[in-house]
Amino acid sequence: MFERIDYYVKRIDGDYAYLQRLDDEGTEEKCVAMALLPPQIVEGSRLAYELMQYEVI
């Protein structure tokens, strides 16, 4: 349940980023508020989600 999940930022639309899992690209995009993400992200950034936090990898 607290395993690391890797994402890439597929697109940014205003105050939201749409993330795609790297291990299963067939899953639906995850919409996340930009306020919850590291400030330096751009489209194409890779993120790790672990222990309820996102970090750039």
Side-chain angles (χ1 to χ4, degrees):
M1 182 170 170
F2 292 106
E3 65 193 44
R4 175 178 156 157
I5 302 171
D6 292 338
Y7 294 96
Y8 75 93
V9 180
K10 193 165 186 179
R11 63 188 168 99
I12 295 174
D13 187 8
D15 291 335
Y16 296 93
Y18 293 85
L19 310 181
Q20 183 68 54
R21 284 182 72 141
L22 290 175
D23 64 340
D24 186 2
E25 293 193 16
T27 60
E28 189 172 326
E29 294 175 358
K30 182 176 182 178
C31 180
V32 179
M34 292 289 288
L36 299 174
L37 301 172
Q40 69 270 27
I41 68 159
V42 294
E43 290 182 3
S45 294
R46 293 178 181 261
L47 301 171
Y49 179 72
E50 190 171 27
L51 299 174
M52 297 176 54
Q53 290 186 320
Y54 292 93
E55 70 176 85
V56 176
I57 52 174

